[in-house]
Amino acid sequence: MYFQLKRDKFITIGIVEPEGLPLDLSFLRGAVIKTSIAPMVFTTNANSQESLPDFSGGSIPVMSQRFLTLLMRAGVDNLQTFPIVIKSEIDGTKWDGFFAVNILGLIQCADLAASDYSEIFHGLYDFDVLAIDTSKTNDMLFFRLQESPSTIIMHKSIGKYLMENDPNQMLTGWDIEEIVQ
């Protein structure tokens, strides 16, 4: 069973990727990034008194070290990580211990007949209700959906591991959404 990993909609702290990144730099392709990347500085609307979320989705997912560590302990082994700095636009505070994450693996497994969606471009979709064909996932634990590359899919075992190893719910910023299977 799989779920969609999403940003927690109740988190009001935003993390914004830097502008002016090279055009050939894509975290949405599911392929190894070979481009040399200078340390990236992301920005946030948080101030020094606030804690940043451990997960922030988007075209470049941002994860804390503790979120990444739990994913890897759960068996996720297809991540390429780049250390980043997050800087407050409010008071200039800087946070480290966060990473831009490239998820290796773009899998075509959407079941369009069982999904509710709008076609954005040929072969790219915006799903209101996502259904996947699990026989096409190659038993991957964590991947991007080829039909909607901004969609991150994780196996139930990963979500279970995250919850069991965060009993006090200290990991913030993430949520899951059910997928029809």
Side-chain angles (χ1 to χ4, degrees), residues 12 17 29 36 39 41 61 72 76 92 100-102 106 129 147 152 155 161 179:
T12 58
E17 63 191 57
R29 291 187 188 126
S36 177
V41 178
M72 290 185 274
V76 175
V101 179
N102 184 26
L106 195 61
V129 176
E147 297 89 346
I152 300 170
H155 191 270
Y161 187 88
I179 298 173

PDB file of all heavy atoms in Angstrom, residues 12 17 29 36 39 41 61 72 76 92 100-102 106 129 147 152 155 161 179:
ATOM      1  N   THR A  12       2.427  27.040   8.719  1.00  0.00           N
ATOM      2  CA  THR A  12       2.419  28.356   8.065  1.00  0.00           C
ATOM      3  C   THR A  12       3.819  28.856   7.722  1.00  0.00           C
ATOM      4  O   THR A  12       3.957  29.853   7.026  1.00  0.00           O
ATOM      5  CB  THR A  12       1.717  29.402   8.954  1.00  0.00           C
ATOM      6  OG1 THR A  12       2.398  29.464  10.216  1.00  0.00           O
ATOM      7  CG2 THR A  12       0.257  29.031   9.174  1.00  0.00           C
ATOM      8  N   GLU A  17      12.728  28.111  -2.362  1.00  0.00           N
ATOM      9  CA  GLU A  17      13.975  27.791  -3.053  1.00  0.00           C
ATOM     10  C   GLU A  17      14.601  29.049  -3.636  1.00  0.00           C
ATOM     11  O   GLU A  17      13.905  30.037  -3.900  1.00  0.00           O
ATOM     12  CB  GLU A  17      13.736  26.740  -4.134  1.00  0.00           C
ATOM     13  CG  GLU A  17      12.804  27.180  -5.234  1.00  0.00           C
ATOM     14  CD  GLU A  17      12.375  26.034  -6.129  1.00  0.00           C
ATOM     15  OE1 GLU A  17      11.830  25.052  -5.634  1.00  0.00           O
ATOM     16  OE2 GLU A  17      12.588  26.149  -7.343  1.00  0.00           O
ATOM     17  N   ARG A  29      13.149  15.277 -12.289  1.00  0.00           N
ATOM     18  CA  ARG A  29      13.361  14.259 -13.321  1.00  0.00           C
ATOM     19  C   ARG A  29      13.543  12.854 -12.757  1.00  0.00           C
ATOM     20  O   ARG A  29      13.473  11.878 -13.488  1.00  0.00           O
ATOM     21  CB  ARG A  29      14.580  14.614 -14.163  1.00  0.00           C
ATOM     22  CG  ARG A  29      14.371  15.822 -15.025  1.00  0.00           C
ATOM     23  CD  ARG A  29      15.547  16.029 -15.966  1.00  0.00           C
ATOM     24  NE  ARG A  29      15.386  17.304 -16.639  1.00  0.00           N
ATOM     25  CZ  ARG A  29      16.291  18.262 -16.650  1.00  0.00           C
ATOM     26  NH1 ARG A  29      17.450  18.091 -16.020  1.00  0.00           N
ATOM     27  NH2 ARG A  29      16.057  19.388 -17.282  1.00  0.00           N
ATOM     28  N   SER A  36      27.376  20.549 -10.980  1.00  0.00           N
ATOM     29  CA  SER A  36      28.000  21.018  -9.746  1.00  0.00           C
ATOM     30  C   SER A  36      27.117  22.113  -9.153  1.00  0.00           C
ATOM     31  O   SER A  36      26.725  23.051  -9.846  1.00  0.00           O
ATOM     32  CB  SER A  36      29.399  21.563 -10.057  1.00  0.00           C
ATOM     33  OG  SER A  36      29.971  22.073  -8.885  1.00  0.00           O
ATOM     34  N   PRO A  39      26.658  25.741  -2.686  1.00  0.00           N
ATOM     35  CA  PRO A  39      25.687  25.677  -1.582  1.00  0.00           C
ATOM     36  C   PRO A  39      24.525  26.638  -1.825  1.00  0.00           C
ATOM     37  O   PRO A  39      24.730  27.816  -2.127  1.00  0.00           O
ATOM     38  CB  PRO A  39      26.506  26.098  -0.369  1.00  0.00           C
ATOM     39  CG  PRO A  39      27.913  25.746  -0.733  1.00  0.00           C
ATOM     40  CD  PRO A  39      28.004  25.972  -2.224  1.00  0.00           C
ATOM     41  N   VAL A  41      21.099  28.736  -0.833  1.00  0.00           N
ATOM     42  CA  VAL A  41      20.502  29.431   0.302  1.00  0.00           C
ATOM     43  C   VAL A  41      19.014  29.582   0.023  1.00  0.00           C
ATOM     44  O   VAL A  41      18.616  30.285  -0.911  1.00  0.00           O
ATOM     45  CB  VAL A  41      21.153  30.811   0.543  1.00  0.00           C
ATOM     46  CG1 VAL A  41      20.464  31.509   1.711  1.00  0.00           C
ATOM     47  CG2 VAL A  41      22.648  30.667   0.794  1.00  0.00           C
ATOM     48  N   PRO A  61      12.317  19.354  -2.825  1.00  0.00           N
ATOM     49  CA  PRO A  61      11.961  19.026  -1.447  1.00  0.00           C
ATOM     50  C   PRO A  61      13.095  19.383  -0.486  1.00  0.00           C
ATOM     51  O   PRO A  61      14.269  19.200  -0.811  1.00  0.00           O
ATOM     52  CB  PRO A  61      11.746  17.514  -1.469  1.00  0.00           C
ATOM     53  CG  PRO A  61      11.564  17.154  -2.899  1.00  0.00           C
ATOM     54  CD  PRO A  61      12.329  18.177  -3.676  1.00  0.00           C
ATOM     55  N   MET A  72      16.103   6.926   5.718  1.00  0.00           N
ATOM     56  CA  MET A  72      17.151   5.965   5.368  1.00  0.00           C
ATOM     57  C   MET A  72      17.094   4.728   6.275  1.00  0.00           C
ATOM     58  O   MET A  72      17.263   3.606   5.806  1.00  0.00           O
ATOM     59  CB  MET A  72      18.514   6.635   5.390  1.00  0.00           C
ATOM     60  CG  MET A  72      18.662   7.620   4.227  1.00  0.00           C
ATOM     61  SD  MET A  72      20.303   8.344   4.092  1.00  0.00           S
ATOM     62  CE  MET A  72      20.179   9.707   5.205  1.00  0.00           C
ATOM     63  N   VAL A  76      14.816   3.611   2.727  1.00  0.00           N
ATOM     64  CA  VAL A  76      14.883   4.443   1.528  1.00  0.00           C
ATOM     65  C   VAL A  76      16.355   4.635   1.160  1.00  0.00           C
ATOM     66  O   VAL A  76      17.143   5.113   1.969  1.00  0.00           O
ATOM     67  CB  VAL A  76      14.189   5.808   1.755  1.00  0.00           C
ATOM     68  CG1 VAL A  76      14.361   6.719   0.543  1.00  0.00           C
ATOM     69  CG2 VAL A  76      12.712   5.608   2.074  1.00  0.00           C
ATOM     70  N   GLY A  92      17.147  37.476   9.588  1.00  0.00           N
ATOM     71  CA  GLY A  92      18.470  37.052   9.133  1.00  0.00           C
ATOM     72  C   GLY A  92      19.010  35.786   9.778  1.00  0.00           C
ATOM     73  O   GLY A  92      20.112  35.353   9.448  1.00  0.00           O
ATOM     74  N   ALA A 100      18.480  19.875   0.401  1.00  0.00           N
ATOM     75  CA  ALA A 100      17.671  19.777  -0.811  1.00  0.00           C
ATOM     76  C   ALA A 100      17.782  18.316  -1.223  1.00  0.00           C
ATOM     77  O   ALA A 100      18.872  17.750  -1.248  1.00  0.00           O
ATOM     78  CB  ALA A 100      18.218  20.701  -1.889  1.00  0.00           C
ATOM     79  N   VAL A 101      16.652  17.695  -1.543  1.00  0.00           N
ATOM     80  CA  VAL A 101      16.640  16.252  -1.780  1.00  0.00           C
ATOM     81  C   VAL A 101      16.166  15.938  -3.194  1.00  0.00           C
ATOM     82  O   VAL A 101      15.076  16.358  -3.606  1.00  0.00           O
ATOM     83  CB  VAL A 101      15.741  15.536  -0.750  1.00  0.00           C
ATOM     84  CG1 VAL A 101      15.702  14.043  -1.008  1.00  0.00           C
ATOM     85  CG2 VAL A 101      16.230  15.829   0.668  1.00  0.00           C
ATOM     86  N   ASN A 102      16.998  15.214  -3.901  1.00  0.00           N
ATOM     87  CA  ASN A 102      16.653  14.703  -5.224  1.00  0.00           C
ATOM     88  C   ASN A 102      16.232  13.250  -5.044  1.00  0.00           C
ATOM     89  O   ASN A 102      17.020  12.425  -4.597  1.00  0.00           O
ATOM     90  CB  ASN A 102      17.862  14.813  -6.159  1.00  0.00           C
ATOM     91  CG  ASN A 102      17.541  14.383  -7.567  1.00  0.00           C
ATOM     92  OD1 ASN A 102      16.397  14.440  -8.009  1.00  0.00           O
ATOM     93  ND2 ASN A 102      18.551  13.945  -8.281  1.00  0.00           N
ATOM     94  N   LEU A 106      11.536   7.887 -11.092  1.00  0.00           N
ATOM     95  CA  LEU A 106      10.322   8.485 -11.635  1.00  0.00           C
ATOM     96  C   LEU A 106       9.550   7.321 -12.231  1.00  0.00           C
ATOM     97  O   LEU A 106       9.988   6.725 -13.217  1.00  0.00           O
ATOM     98  CB  LEU A 106      10.718   9.508 -12.702  1.00  0.00           C
ATOM     99  CG  LEU A 106       9.707  10.510 -13.192  1.00  0.00           C
ATOM    100  CD1 LEU A 106       9.207  11.398 -12.066  1.00  0.00           C
ATOM    101  CD2 LEU A 106      10.315  11.373 -14.283  1.00  0.00           C
ATOM    102  N   VAL A 129      -8.046  13.010  -7.312  1.00  0.00           N
ATOM    103  CA  VAL A 129      -8.031  11.684  -6.701  1.00  0.00           C
ATOM    104  C   VAL A 129      -7.030  10.861  -7.494  1.00  0.00           C
ATOM    105  O   VAL A 129      -7.184  10.696  -8.698  1.00  0.00           O
ATOM    106  CB  VAL A 129      -9.422  11.005  -6.739  1.00  0.00           C
ATOM    107  CG1 VAL A 129      -9.343   9.593  -6.179  1.00  0.00           C
ATOM    108  CG2 VAL A 129     -10.446  11.829  -5.987  1.00  0.00           C
ATOM    109  N   GLU A 147       3.678  10.714 -14.052  1.00  0.00           N
ATOM    110  CA  GLU A 147       2.557  11.477 -14.594  1.00  0.00           C
ATOM    111  C   GLU A 147       2.349  12.811 -13.881  1.00  0.00           C
ATOM    112  O   GLU A 147       1.627  13.675 -14.373  1.00  0.00           O
ATOM    113  CB  GLU A 147       1.266  10.648 -14.514  1.00  0.00           C
ATOM    114  CG  GLU A 147       1.293   9.385 -15.349  1.00  0.00           C
ATOM    115  CD  GLU A 147       1.856   8.170 -14.618  1.00  0.00           C
ATOM    116  OE1 GLU A 147       2.479   8.325 -13.534  1.00  0.00           O
ATOM    117  OE2 GLU A 147       1.668   7.056 -15.125  1.00  0.00           O
ATOM    118  N   ILE A 152       5.140  12.967  -4.642  1.00  0.00           N
ATOM    119  CA  ILE A 152       6.040  12.018  -3.995  1.00  0.00           C
ATOM    120  C   ILE A 152       5.202  10.895  -3.395  1.00  0.00           C
ATOM    121  O   ILE A 152       4.253  11.151  -2.643  1.00  0.00           O
ATOM    122  CB  ILE A 152       6.879  12.699  -2.892  1.00  0.00           C
ATOM    123  CG1 ILE A 152       7.720  13.833  -3.489  1.00  0.00           C
ATOM    124  CG2 ILE A 152       7.762  11.674  -2.173  1.00  0.00           C
ATOM    125  CD1 ILE A 152       8.406  14.711  -2.446  1.00  0.00           C
ATOM    126  N   HIS A 155       5.851   4.161   0.344  1.00  0.00           N
ATOM    127  CA  HIS A 155       5.238   2.908   0.762  1.00  0.00           C
ATOM    128  C   HIS A 155       4.746   3.044   2.198  1.00  0.00           C
ATOM    129  O   HIS A 155       5.335   3.772   3.008  1.00  0.00           O
ATOM    130  CB  HIS A 155       6.262   1.772   0.640  1.00  0.00           C
ATOM    131  CG  HIS A 155       5.656   0.419   0.807  1.00  0.00           C
ATOM    132  ND1 HIS A 155       5.560  -0.186   2.034  1.00  0.00           N
ATOM    133  CD2 HIS A 155       5.095  -0.418  -0.095  1.00  0.00           C
ATOM    134  CE1 HIS A 155       4.970  -1.360   1.891  1.00  0.00           C
ATOM    135  NE2 HIS A 155       4.676  -1.531   0.606  1.00  0.00           N
ATOM    136  N   TYR A 161       7.130   3.460   9.767  1.00  0.00           N
ATOM    137  CA  TYR A 161       8.416   3.597  10.446  1.00  0.00           C
ATOM    138  C   TYR A 161       8.588   5.025  10.987  1.00  0.00           C
ATOM    139  O   TYR A 161       9.039   5.211  12.121  1.00  0.00           O
ATOM    140  CB  TYR A 161       9.565   3.247   9.498  1.00  0.00           C
ATOM    141  CG  TYR A 161      10.902   3.221  10.195  1.00  0.00           C
ATOM    142  CD1 TYR A 161      11.364   2.062  10.795  1.00  0.00           C
ATOM    143  CD2 TYR A 161      11.694   4.368  10.287  1.00  0.00           C
ATOM    144  CE1 TYR A 161      12.579   2.022  11.469  1.00  0.00           C
ATOM    145  CE2 TYR A 161      12.907   4.345  10.958  1.00  0.00           C
ATOM    146  CZ  TYR A 161      13.346   3.179  11.543  1.00  0.00           C
ATOM    147  OH  TYR A 161      14.542   3.163  12.210  1.00  0.00           O
ATOM    148  N   ILE A 179      -4.062   7.044  -1.430  1.00  0.00           N
ATOM    149  CA  ILE A 179      -4.061   6.806  -2.865  1.00  0.00           C
ATOM    150  C   ILE A 179      -4.947   5.597  -3.111  1.00  0.00           C
ATOM    151  O   ILE A 179      -4.854   4.600  -2.381  1.00  0.00           O
ATOM    152  CB  ILE A 179      -2.635   6.524  -3.374  1.00  0.00           C
ATOM    153  CG1 ILE A 179      -1.728   7.730  -3.138  1.00  0.00           C
ATOM    154  CG2 ILE A 179      -2.636   6.129  -4.845  1.00  0.00           C
ATOM    155  CD1 ILE A 179      -0.264   7.463  -3.453  1.00  0.00           C
TER     156      ILE A 179
END
